[in-house]
Amino acid sequence: MIRGVVAVVFGALQVLVAAPVAPSAPAPSNPGDVFEFPLPTWTPHCLGFGSKWTYCNGTALRACASGEVWLHTGADVIATVGQPVAAAGDGVIVGYLIDQTFRGGVLIRHQTSSGAVITQYWHVWLKSGYGTGSRVKRGEVFADVADMGTLTHLHFAVFNADYEPHAWNGALPPSACSGFPAFPYKFIDATAFIEAHLPVAPLPRGTRI
Ligand SMILES: [Zn+2]
């Protein structure tokens, strides 16, 4: 066992010495498999993937009759009013909703080599000239962060499937209730997804704390 550990360590050192500036992953051959963060900095706001769906002060937004608080399906990221929001990848806008409480929501459908993926952006306004059916390229600014006062932030989620009405959900119950499927359903950790699909070079933009 000890010999095995030594061999692994030695192997890692060999890699470091042989290729100190080598990229960490091979370049994806399909541009549809490359994604980036929608904002240049990626600093978490109050809620992350799987957090209880509450305001920053802990007030629950929605709960099942059983009292279970819904769970947040996206990543909330610190943003400023009017800040440009970029498409996470090449795709097509497949929906735009306006909600009195949550402002605008946008869904973009991406065709990756492992199937369709939907990226979801809440608390934004579409820029003029964009609407359902618009094609966007990765990094293209298509929306601005909406003014939600002290609650202003970007909610970003990744729905790992093709479009269906639940792709709009910002949170889901911990176990099925009120006709909604249980968290996480087809949502996956948005920050981890982007990190796993960043372009190889230049180095990943943004920061994560
Ligand atoms: Zn959110």
Side-chain angles (χ1 to χ4, degrees):
M1 184 183 285
I2 290 171
R3 280 182 63 189
V5 169
V6 169
V8 167
V9 170
F10 182 63
L13 287 174
Q14 273 187 317
V15 169
L16 286 173
V17 170
V21 292
S24 57
S29 53
N30 177 5
D33 292 339
V34 181
F35 288 80
E36 65 182 50
F37 290 109
L39 296 178
T41 57
W42 205 248
T43 306
H45 195 245
C46 304
L47 306 185
F49 182 66
S51 298
K52 284 191 172 179
W53 199 33
T54 67
Y55 287 119
C56 294
N57 67 8
T59 304
L61 281 153
R62 196 174 298 171
C64 296
S66 62
E68 293 176 312
V69 175
W70 284 32
L71 304 180
H72 191 245
T73 51
D76 284 352
V77 179
I78 290 177
T80 54
V81 175
Q83 189 171 359
V85 179
D90 296 353
V92 178
I93 295 174
V94 291
Y96 182 44
L97 278 184
I98 295 178
D99 179 275
Q100 211 167 6
T101 305
F102 301 115
R103 312 297 196 268
V106 180
L107 298 181
I108 300 180
R109 182 187 187 278
H110 311 274
Q111 189 64 53
T112 77
S113 43
S114 15
V117 167
I118 307 281
T119 53
Q120 180 202 74
Y121 314 73
W122 268 111
H123 325 313
V124 302
W125 299 125
L126 270 185
K127 292 186 86 69
S128 65
Y130 290 89
T132 301
S134 297
R135 287 199 164 274
V136 289
K137 301 295 286 181
R138 174 169 59 87
E140 182 175 337
V141 172
F142 68 96
D144 297 322
V145 172
D147 187 352
M148 292 181 71
T150 57
L151 301 175
T152 299
H153 67 277
L154 172 70
H155 170 107
F156 175 69
V158 174
F159 190 75
N160 193 25
D162 213 335
Y163 175 79
E164 62 167 279
H166 285 302
W168 285 109
N169 290 130
L172 287 170
S175 52
C177 84
S178 309
F180 287 90
F183 176 91
Y185 191 49
K186 297 173 184 177
F187 286 95
I188 56 176
D189 184 321
T191 299
F193 175 85
I194 298 295
E195 285 177 338
H197 294 83
L198 287 168
V200 174
L203 289 173
R205 58 192 275 214
T207 54
R208 184 188 179 202
I209 297 172

